[in-house]
Amino acid sequence: EHWNGKVWKIVPSPSVRHHTELASVVAISRNDIWAVGRSYVADFDGFPLAEHWNGVRWTLMKLPNPGTGSLASVAVTSNGRLLSVGSYLDANYHYRPLAETWNGTSWARAGVSLPALAKDNDAYLNAVGVTSRGDAWTVGTQSRTPNQALIERQNQGNWTVGEPPPTSKMLLLEGVLALSSSDVWIAGQIGVISKTFVAKWNGTNWSVVPSANAGKILNLLTTVVVVPGQGLVAAGSFETLSGKHTITRPLVEWYKAC
């Protein structure tokens, strides 16, 4: 959909297979916009998907085929190119981190590190953020008991696994904002009865930032963005009970300082 300053308007886009899901969008200019996600027949069977807007129409782009998988997030790197992350199913039926890059001409697979803890478990990348210097931060989840956060960083082309904020609780990370190498924000949910989670990296360690919760069942932050001169905005959803029914509502939080 496109916002023209007054109303939202549906813009036709190509679709493959039976279903298409777009999970993330990034605009380099008004005539150079990218969206990523997956196409699938059944919910468990899908392939990564990328589409490009040239100012006139959306076009499907050719991607390296890792098999079953999806792309969850896309960001512009410092040189105007793209980095997209997600997950794919390997030959042993484990989900692994997936990263793909756009060099201005074509998409290519990028090697990412596999955490030792994830070798016999699933590992997913859910979001990517890139600093103005081109350092990339990605966040996700590896399926342990309890599920643990996954953080990977790309610096000068090298991927390394980072230490997540220390916690004994289930921690799922869904959003990342990378302002600089010493100013990185992550967001998600923590605990079995989930509460919102926000933490900041200062270049040396993580510090948890207090965040609000509106629901009694589930509270989740999926994205965090900066509003110049104002602070940060984190958004997600929460669940509340209405009689015998569970209702999901949007959740938006504002941080005055960044």
Side-chain angles (χ1 to χ4, degrees):
E1 297 189 8
H2 175 254
W3 174 256
N4 64 6
K6 294 182 180 180
V7 296
W8 286 98
K9 180 182 178 181
I10 295 176
V11 179
S13 60
S15 181
V16 293
R17 311 190 86 190
H18 288 73
H19 305 283
T20 298
E21 291 180 352
L22 296 177
S24 180
V25 62
V26 64
I28 298 175
S29 70
R30 63 184 301 173
N31 298 326
D32 191 4
I33 303 173
W34 292 83
V36 300
R38 67 169 181 151
S39 62
Y40 65 98
V41 175
D43 186 58
F44 55 84
D45 174 29
F47 296 93
L49 174 75
E51 299 187 6
H52 178 250
W53 172 260
N54 64 3
V56 178
R57 63 180 61 86
W58 286 97
T59 304
L60 285 171
M61 304 300 293
K62 184 178 180 180
L63 292 172
N65 183 12
T68 299
S70 64
L71 292 173
S73 181
V74 61
V76 180
T77 63
S78 59
N79 56 10
R81 299 181 181 185
L82 302 173
L83 172 62
S84 184
V85 301
S87 59
Y88 73 98
L89 193 66
D90 70 8
N92 296 315
Y93 299 97
H94 292 301
Y95 277 97
R96 299 300 188 215
L98 172 65
E100 301 194 358
T101 58
W102 169 257
N103 64 6
T105 304
S106 61
W107 285 92
R109 288 279 298 274
V112 291
S113 301
L114 181 64
L117 293 174
K119 287 183 178 179
D120 296 321
N121 299 280
D122 294 328
Y124 310 84
L125 293 177
N126 298 326
V128 59
V130 182
T131 70
S132 59
R133 297 184 61 181
D135 293 341
W137 290 75
T138 67
V139 299
T141 302
Q142 48 186 323
S143 58
R144 299 182 62 210
T145 304
N147 284 356
Q148 292 295 306
L150 172 60
I151 297 176
E152 299 203 22
R153 181 182 179 185
Q154 183 195 52
N155 185 12
Q156 297 181 346
N158 298 316
W159 286 93
T160 56
V161 178
E163 283 293 329
T167 178
S168 60
K169 298 181 179 180
M170 181 179 72
L171 177 59
L172 308 179
L173 295 179
E174 300 283 351
V176 59
L177 173 65
L179 299 176
S180 71
S181 60
S182 60
D183 192 1
V184 180
W185 295 73
I186 56 176
Q189 63 179 352
I190 189 169
V192 177
I193 302 178
S194 67
K195 303 296 183 183
T196 57
F197 180 86
V198 177
K200 179 184 178 181
W201 174 259
N202 63 6
T204 304
N205 51 52
W206 293 101
S207 58
V208 176
V209 179
S211 54
N213 294 280
K216 294 183 178 180
I217 305 174
L218 179 145
N219 297 269
L220 168 66
L221 295 174
T222 58
T223 188
V224 55
V225 297
V226 63
V227 181
Q230 299 294 320
L232 302 178
V233 173
S237 61
F238 71 94
E239 291 185 359
T240 185
L241 290 174
S242 177
K244 297 181 179 180
H245 302 284
T246 300
I247 300 176
T248 302
R249 301 187 184 278
L251 175 62
V252 179
E253 302 187 10
W254 177 41
Y255 301 88
K256 293 184 180 180
C258 61

